[in-house]
Amino acid sequence: MLVHTRADRQLAAEHWLLSTLPAPSNARAEWDKHGVALLPLGTLFSAVRIPGRLVLALIGSEEPRAVDVFLGQVLDGGPVICDPHGHRYYALVPASMPATWHQAAEEWRAALDVDVLGRGTYLGVPRMDAVEVAPQGCVSYWAVPMASAATLCAPLAVARLIAAGQHRIAEGLER
């Protein structure tokens, strides 16, 4: 039986993320200086930007740890980055999602301000050890840390989260 420690999986995930860049050392320097590094989307992974109001409509709590646990459960442990400054979540998904979910992405963008981000877009990715909201509350962190290299959110799980949030918001407007 081969056993990998959490630290080994975290390092593998870090190397995998940084492999999107020609000079990974630059991103490491950004992580050291700013806590986030800009990584290009659309090669190894893409991201779905989900407004915080959509997630909060589902959970009914604004407590960051409760929201993080909820996202981990509904997205089956798939990685999610929280941008507390912009009140947004970024679910990391397969690189092909912007193309394969194009029609849904257009509808989500128009109705909910959800966006599927891919080629030509950069995402501020936090250091691998940034796994909780910072005291100042403005630096991105891993709401759901990447479990290991190439582990991403299932597109269908993300779509279900968005649909449930849309439904809950619509219910609130009807009352």
Side-chain angles (χ1 to χ4, degrees), residues 122-148:
Y122 284 77
L123 178 64
V125 175
R127 298 166 48 113
M128 297 305 293
D129 61 354
V131 294
E132 58 187 31
V133 66
Q136 64 271 30
C138 63
V139 178
S140 293
Y141 71 95
W142 291 97
V144 183
M146 183 173 267
S148 62

Side-chain angles (χ1 to χ4, degrees), residues 31-114:
W31 274 338
D32 290 342
K33 185 173 182 179
H34 305 291
V36 296
L38 291 177
L39 300 183
L41 299 176
T43 54
L44 295 178
F45 63 96
S46 290
V48 178
R49 183 183 65 214
I50 305 168
R53 68 181 175 80
L54 190 141
V55 175
L56 297 179
L58 288 170
I59 188 172
S61 171
E62 292 188 22
E63 201 279 308
R65 189 69 203 133
V67 174
D68 298 348
V69 168
F70 170 77
L71 287 170
Q73 291 171 344
V74 298
L75 297 176
D76 298 319
V80 179
I81 295 170
C82 176
D83 169 12
H85 181 69
H87 306 290
R88 298 180 201 143
Y89 294 89
Y90 295 85
L92 302 190
V93 295
S96 62
M97 190 168 174
T100 57
W101 290 73
H102 178 72
Q103 182 62 39
E106 291 297 321
E107 293 171 15
W108 293 337
R109 185 178 304 114
L112 302 167
D113 195 31
V114 169

